[in-house]
């Protein structure tokens, strides 16, 4: 659930003191783009009655009152507008802008204003860029899945990736009075390219190859020699057998290839494949909610429960329940 900012708490108490009902307070906040539940409003009204929260900008602590005595609501609102439109703005830049507009605040007070505005600083999670035209296609496809409550029983999810045969990040302990040791590494470490797929029936064969993935290679080596023969072989069976090594050999380390294939054939069981695919049940409703943008780790943060054995309809209904008003 989203934390309630200090400004929102102040607004709740102010509206309550002006004889607003819980329903009116929620409507007034929603009109400003602030999503709160009735339970949150009732909680902070109760805190106000018990004297545990006031409608003053400063905190009850005398030390904090002294520090924040020149911080005004206008300053916090300015910080909120700035970070809402420019989330990468530093606290020092915000401090300079506050000084230019005549506010008498220090850098530490500016950082406190950021907290009061309901923001925190964190490293972003990078995800794949999605073109605008593809966002529309993603939303349309997800809506079709929701409409059909698709279980993905007749789908195979495939992808390719590159595995580097050298660890870039290595940590080493040393004594405090010693210099950092030097470790030699290859200028161009060996890499292998891997293609494979999973379905509710299990894993496809894994293909380890070198070179570039182009149309002819995809048609000849992946579809014709790897994927289609296995599909024909398993067409009358209940599930796919564990994957076996199917490789285009070159000068790569055979031991490394064998390790990758052994991992695939041992770990990617039918149950494991189904568990991965069931995660899409969470992703589909969130993708629609985010209008086709990359979802990253957001589905798991919104839905805490496991997705295995559930359905798209289950998480779609859950997302639009009253308990998830703050998320939407």
């Amino acid at each position: 659930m989203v934390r309630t900012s200090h400004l929102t708490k102040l607004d709740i108490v102010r509206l309550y003191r002006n004889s607003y009902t819980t329903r009116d307070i929620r409507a007034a906040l929603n009109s400003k783009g602030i999503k709160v539940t009735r339970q949150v409003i009732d909680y902070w009204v109760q805190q106000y009655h018990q004297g545990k929260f006031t409608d003053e900008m400063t905190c009850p602590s005398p030390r904090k009152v002294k520090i924040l005595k020149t911080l005004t609501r206008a300053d916090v609102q300015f910080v909120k507008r700035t970070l809402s439109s420019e989330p990468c703005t530093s606290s020092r830049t915000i401090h300079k802008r506050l000084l230019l507009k005549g506010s008498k605040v220090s850098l530490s007070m500016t950082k406190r204003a950021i907290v009061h505005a309901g923001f925190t600083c964190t490293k972003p999670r990078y995800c794949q860029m999605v073109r605008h035209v593809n966002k529309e296609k993603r939303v349309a496809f997800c809506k079709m899945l929701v409409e059909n409550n698709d279980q993905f029983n007749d789908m195979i999810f495939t992808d390719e990736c590159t595995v580097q045969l050298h660890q870039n990040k290595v940590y080493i302990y040393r004594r405090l009075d010693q210099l950092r040791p030097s470790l030699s590494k290859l200028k161009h470490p060996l890499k292998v390219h891997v293609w494979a797929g999973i379905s509710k029936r299990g894993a496809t064969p894994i293909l380890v190859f070198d070179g570039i993935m182009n149309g002819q290679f995809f048609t000849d080596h992946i579809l014709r020699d790897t994927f289609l023969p296995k599909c024909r072989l398993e067409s009358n069976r209940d599930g796919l057998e564990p994957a076996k090594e199917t490789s285009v050999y070159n000068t790569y380390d055979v031991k490394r290839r064998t390790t990758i294939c052994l991992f695939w054939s041992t770990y990617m069981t039918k149950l494991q494949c189904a568990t991965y695919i069931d995660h899409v049940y969470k992703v589909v409703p969130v993708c629609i909610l985010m209008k086709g943008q990359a979802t990253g780790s957001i589905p798991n943060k919104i839905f805490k429960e496991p997705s295995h054995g559930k359905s798209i309809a289950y998480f779609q209904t859950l997302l639009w329940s009253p308990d998830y008003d703050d998320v939407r």
Side-chain angles (χ1 to χ4, degrees):
M1 302 298 289
V2 180
R3 291 186 59 184
T4 306
S5 69
H6 188 73
L7 274 181
T8 302
K9 300 172 190 176
L10 293 175
D11 287 335
I12 291 173
V13 174
R14 175 179 57 81
L15 292 171
Y16 174 75
R17 292 183 60 183
N18 290 332
S19 302
Y20 278 62
T21 64
T22 299
R23 182 177 180 179
D24 294 336
I25 294 175
R26 189 182 186 193
L29 294 176
N30 285 343
S31 65
K32 297 167 58 177
I34 303 174
K35 303 294 184 181
V36 292
T37 62
R38 295 184 296 274
Q39 292 80 2
V40 170
I41 295 173
D42 292 339
Y43 173 80
W44 287 110
V45 169
Q46 183 182 11
Q47 293 292 97
Y48 169 72
H49 276 297
Q50 295 176 356
K52 297 180 181 179
F53 184 80
T54 67
D55 59 345
E56 301 294 331
M57 176 58 68
T58 56
C59 301
S61 169
R63 179 176 176 272
K64 291 186 177 180
V65 169
K66 183 178 180 181
I67 292 175
L68 298 176
K69 63 181 181 180
T70 58
L71 184 62
T72 65
R73 178 184 292 273
D75 294 333
V76 179
Q77 291 287 6
F78 175 80
V79 171
K80 186 176 182 179
R81 289 194 302 270
T82 302
L83 292 179
S84 297
S85 59
E86 305 173 59
C88 293
T89 307
S90 66
S91 58
R92 292 184 180 275
T93 301
I94 295 176
H95 177 227
K96 292 178 181 178
R97 293 182 183 181
L98 285 171
L99 294 178
L100 288 175
K101 65 185 289 292
S103 300
K104 298 180 180 180
V105 294
S106 63
L107 178 59
S108 60
M109 293 168 62
T110 301
K111 294 179 179 179
R112 292 178 182 272
I114 293 173
V115 175
H116 282 307
F119 288 86
T120 184
C121 185
T122 183
K123 290 184 178 179
R125 291 178 62 91
Y126 290 97
C127 55
Q128 191 169 355
M129 295 181 62
V130 182
R131 296 171 54 198
H132 180 71
V133 63
N134 289 335
K135 290 180 182 179
E136 296 178 352
K137 293 179 180 179
R138 282 162 60 92
V139 171
F141 179 68
C142 288
K143 287 182 177 179
M144 180 191 69
L145 295 177
V146 170
E147 182 180 353
N148 298 331
N149 192 26
D150 205 310
Q151 299 294 311
F152 308 116
N153 292 323
D154 56 351
M155 286 191 182
I156 298 178
F157 298 80
T158 68
D159 201 0
E160 66 277 348
C161 69
T162 299
V163 180
Q164 183 170 295
L165 306 183
H166 180 82
Q167 179 61 262
N168 283 331
K169 295 181 180 180
V170 177
Y171 295 92
I172 188 170
Y173 286 94
R174 63 178 176 85
R175 295 180 60 87
L176 294 174
D177 56 350
Q178 292 181 341
L179 297 175
R180 288 190 300 172
S182 299
L183 297 178
S184 59
K185 68 175 184 179
L186 297 173
K187 185 176 181 180
H188 301 290
L190 293 175
K191 299 179 181 180
V192 293
H193 308 299
V194 179
W195 176 92
I198 59 174
S199 72
K200 286 292 186 73
R201 296 185 176 184
T204 68
I206 186 170
L207 177 67
V208 184
F209 63 95
D210 61 332
I212 300 175
M213 168 83 76
N214 54 31
Q216 183 177 357
F217 182 87
F218 183 81
T219 302
D220 294 344
H221 292 286
I222 292 181
L223 293 183
R224 187 190 64 191
D225 299 339
T226 307
F227 180 65
L228 294 180
K230 190 67 175 180
C231 287
R232 297 190 187 101
L233 181 64
E234 302 294 340
S235 60
N236 296 323
R237 299 185 185 181
D238 292 332
L240 296 176
E241 296 177 350
K244 299 179 181 179
E245 179 178 1
T246 306
S247 304
V248 179
Y249 288 98
N250 204 314
T251 57
Y252 289 132
D253 185 357
V254 176
K255 184 178 180 180
R256 298 281 186 171
R257 289 173 173 269
T258 306
T259 301
I260 294 173
C261 296
L262 180 62
F263 164 81
W264 185 258
S265 61
T266 303
Y267 184 75
M268 296 306 298
T269 62
K270 182 178 180 179
L271 176 61
Q272 192 65 41
C273 292
T275 301
Y276 287 145
I277 294 173
D278 287 352
H279 172 68
V280 184
Y281 297 154
K282 293 182 179 181
V283 177
V284 169
V286 177
C287 183
I288 297 174
L289 184 67
M290 297 177 61
K291 299 180 180 179
Q293 299 183 63
T295 56
S297 61
I298 296 177
N300 277 336
K301 289 186 177 180
I302 294 179
F303 306 113
K304 303 299 183 181
E305 57 186 296
S307 57
H308 185 55
K310 302 293 194 309
S311 66
I312 294 178
Y314 174 84
F315 289 105
Q316 175 75 3
T317 304
L318 190 63
L319 181 61
W320 290 97
S321 65
D323 294 337
Y324 284 78
D325 284 347
D326 291 340
V327 174
R328 300 192 302 273

